[in-house]
């Protein structure tokens, strides 16, 4: 299958479909014409421009006032890429690098960047052939674009750097020889077109949003199972209460729980307790707030990935080249920080439900084993969840609240959005693990409610879960079961994206 790069809105669902179905990229005629037109305009402008143009005929950053001779403009762009490849730390996971390639192609396709057609085509070749550049997590301030990580992503274009290809990390030059590809000679402004931009941040945000949407839906399923296992009340999910405080996420969560629990014997029987703890009673308010935040961040990120974010911006029809600040990451840095907070709260309330399930209340045995004392049972999975939740709290300190001047003060305010992006991914991973641990506990607790059953929907999920994670009668090696539980919620069988 093929995805045609065009001016049509690129949605989160479409990106997920492209990745899941291993679709190839191809430029539309419209995008091809726009790229060629912009490049021709820029080439012709070099002949009579008559004034310095940042990054086109000048140096970069605080070197903006140094004019570069025409014969050195190609070398200038080459120097830019190699000098900016200063990334350090852990490598970016391949699936996010692939998103970076897709988003960079999309941004360049609008014809306001001045890239050569061959440059855009080669980026698509890398995407289509799963030749993924080795990119490092540290190095970007999230202001003048993601300079260091995008430099690493683009090194292979000029025959340098390393790529992950067929499971091996190899010099890009070697893979290029196998493919019969020649290194690209960058033209004026092209290095900036490649390095200025928010694709490192945006790719992390897209990956995190796709995963957040799935985890938010699983949180409702797992929370409903925990509610049933804890003998919780269904009244807090009824629509009358939510009509009085009509936040969309809250209303949707209440409705979802009513659907999930339809036909349950457990939720319909008499309850001695008149009220549940907040971790159960306030699920609509907490899970709903997370949903609302996901939707907000999604709207911002979808706007971002359908934009040209390099500098300067080239406008052939208006005969203008404008140096501005579309590369600045602030518009998405703050939302990424808020998404980290939201997803951390999803883990936070999940851990509190785990704590309740193992507390020996409401007819459940202590630590969810028949012989507590001899067996520690589910004592330590709650420790693990608590440890992860605590780590999330540290990771939720907003990176976007910081700024450190760079380039001799010319770039005197930065977003630190790249740090927000990498922290967000860690929070998402952590939240997935905590929800997996809650499912592990909820399924165990539900066994002690037999012969009564929950709803048909939850029973179906429970039965599938039991094919991979068994009931725990006596102490056993828990780590592999936690991993299986986390892997289970990566299954989209019950999730309509």
């Amino acid at each position: 299958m093929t995805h045609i790069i065009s001016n049509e809105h690129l949605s989160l669902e479409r990106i997920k479909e492209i990745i899941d179905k291993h679709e190839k990229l191809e430029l539309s005629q419209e995008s091809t014409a726009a790229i060629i037109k912009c490049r021709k305009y820029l080439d012709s402008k070099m002949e009579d421009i008559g004034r310095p143009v940042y990054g086109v005929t000048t140096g970069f950053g605080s070197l903006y006032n140094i004019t570069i001779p025409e014969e050195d403009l190609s070398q200038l762009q080459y120097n830019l890429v190699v000098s900016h490849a200063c990334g350090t730390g852990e490598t970016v996971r391949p699936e996010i690098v692939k998103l970076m390639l897709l988003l960079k192609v999309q941004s360049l396709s609008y014809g306001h960047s001045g890239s050569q057609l061959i440059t855009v085509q080669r980026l698509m070749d890398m995407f289509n052939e799963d030749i993924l550049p080795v990119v490092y997590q540290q190095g970007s301030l999230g202001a003048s674009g993601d300079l260091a990580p995008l430099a690493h992503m683009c090194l292979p274009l000029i025959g340098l750097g390393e790529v992950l290809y067929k499971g091996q990390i190899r010099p890009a030059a070697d893979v290029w020889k196998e493919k019969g590809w020649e290194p690209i000679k960058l033209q004026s402004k092209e290095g900036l077109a490649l390095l200025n931009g928010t694709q490192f941040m945006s790719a992390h945000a897209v990956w995190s949003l796709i995963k957040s949407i799935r985890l938010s839906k699983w949180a409702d399923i797992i929370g409903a199972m925990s509610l049933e296992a804890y003998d919780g009340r269904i009244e807090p999910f009824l629509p009358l209460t939510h009509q009085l405080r009509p936040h969309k996420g809250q209303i949707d969560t209440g409705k979802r729980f009513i659907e999930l629990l339809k036909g349950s014997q457990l939720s319909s029987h008499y309850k001695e307790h008149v009220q549940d703890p907040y971790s159960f009673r306030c699920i609509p308010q907490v899970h709903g707030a997370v949903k609302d935040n996901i939707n907000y961040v999604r709207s911002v990120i979808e706007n971002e990935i359908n934009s040209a974010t390099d500098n300067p911006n080239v406008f052939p029809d208006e005969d203008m080249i404008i140096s501005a600040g579309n590369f600045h990451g602030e518009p998405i840095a703050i939302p990424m920080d808020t998404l980290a907070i939201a997803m951390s709260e999803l883990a936070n309330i999940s851990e509190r439900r785990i704590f309740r399930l193992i507390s020996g209340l409401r007819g459940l045995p202590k630590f969810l084993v028949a012989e507590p004392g001899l067996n520690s049972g589910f004592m330590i999975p709650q420790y693990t969840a608590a440890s992860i939740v605590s780590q999330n709290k540290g990771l939720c300190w907003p990176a976007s609240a910081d700024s450190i001047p760079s380039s001799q003060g010319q770039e005197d305010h930065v977003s630190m959005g790249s740090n927000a992006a990498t922290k967000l991914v860690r929070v998402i991973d952590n939240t997935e693990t905590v929800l997996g641990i809650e499912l592990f506990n909820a399924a165990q607790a539900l066994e002690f409610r037999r012969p009564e059953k929950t709803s048909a929907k939850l029973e179906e999920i429970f039965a599938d879960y039991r094919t991979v994670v068994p009931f725990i009668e006596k102490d056993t090696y828990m780590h592999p079961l936690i991993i299986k539980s986390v892997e289970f919620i990566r299954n989209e069988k019950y999730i309509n994206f």
Side-chain angles (χ1 to χ4, degrees), residues 84-89 92 100 135-152 195-202 204 327-329 332-333 336 399 402 404 406 411 414-422:
H84 284 48
C86 296
T88 61
V92 178
M100 289 173 64
V135 180
Y136 298 91
Q137 292 188 17
Q138 295 175 322
S140 172
L141 300 177
S144 303
D146 291 309
L147 296 174
L150 289 178
H152 282 281
L195 272 55
N196 274 181
T198 62
Q199 287 75 42
F200 176 84
M201 291 180 279
S202 298
H204 282 76
F327 48 57
H328 202 291
I332 59 174
M336 284 191 292
D402 186 29
I404 299 176
S406 58
E411 297 164 9
V414 301
S415 75
M416 297 299 179
S418 60
N419 289 342
T422 53

Side-chain angles (χ1 to χ4, degrees), residues 1 15 23 31 52 59 69 71 79 117 233 249 254 270 329 342 363 380 384 403:
M1 295 183 66
I15 291 176
E23 295 185 28
S31 294
E71 62 270 20
N79 290 350
L117 182 60
R233 303 187 67 99
Y270 173 76
I380 305 304
T384 304
S403 178

Side-chain angles (χ1 to χ4, degrees), residues 89 116 127 132 182 226 239 259 333 338 341 343 412 427 453 473:
Q116 299 177 88
F127 181 96
L132 304 178
E182 292 293 328
S226 291
E259 292 171 351
T338 66
I341 292 170
M343 296 307 291
D412 56 352
V427 170
K453 292 187 175 183
E473 295 185 9

Side-chain angles (χ1 to χ4, degrees), residues 289-397:
V290 173
K291 289 183 178 70
D292 288 339
N293 186 262
I294 289 172
N295 287 333
Y296 158 67
V297 176
R298 174 183 179 150
S299 69
V300 174
I301 298 303
E302 284 197 352
N303 194 38
E304 183 76 4
I305 64 178
N306 286 278
S307 303
T309 57
D310 60 299
N311 178 64
N313 305 125
V314 184
F315 299 91
D317 292 340
E318 292 80 7
D319 190 21
M320 294 184 72
I321 302 173
I322 301 175
S323 181
N326 271 359
F327 48 57
H328 202 291
E330 199 76 87
I332 59 174
I334 295 172
M336 284 191 292
D337 279 333
T338 66
L339 182 59
I341 292 170
M343 296 307 291
S344 177
E345 280 301 284
L346 208 58
N348 202 336
I349 195 171
S350 173
E351 184 278 328
R352 289 293 80 197
R353 292 193 293 263
I354 295 168
F355 176 82
R356 292 290 178 176
L357 290 174
I358 64 171
S359 296
L361 301 173
R362 299 192 178 182
L364 294 174
K366 291 182 178 181
F367 303 115
L368 301 178
V369 284
E371 298 181 65
L374 175 62
N375 295 288
S376 295
F378 282 70
M379 179 189 294
I380 305 304
Q382 185 264 328
Y383 284 40
T384 304
S387 170
I388 294 169
V389 165
S390 179
Q391 185 183 70
N392 271 356
K393 292 172 186 176
L395 291 169
C396 282
W397 179 264

Side-chain angles (χ1 to χ4, degrees), residues 149-209:
L150 289 178
H152 282 281
M153 187 188 82
C154 294
L155 277 176
L157 294 174
I158 56 176
L160 300 175
E162 296 79 36
V163 295
L164 175 65
Y165 182 50
K166 295 184 178 179
Q168 291 185 317
I169 293 177
R170 301 172 56 193
D174 292 350
V175 177
W176 261 228
K177 287 179 183 177
E178 288 181 14
K179 293 290 181 182
W181 297 347
E182 292 293 328
I184 291 171
K185 184 178 181 180
L186 299 177
Q187 300 302 306
S188 61
K189 205 268 180 188
E190 246 192 317
L192 270 185
L194 294 170
L195 272 55
N196 274 181
T198 62
Q199 287 75 42
F200 176 84
M201 291 180 279
S202 298
H204 282 76
V206 166
W207 182 92
S208 297
L209 276 168

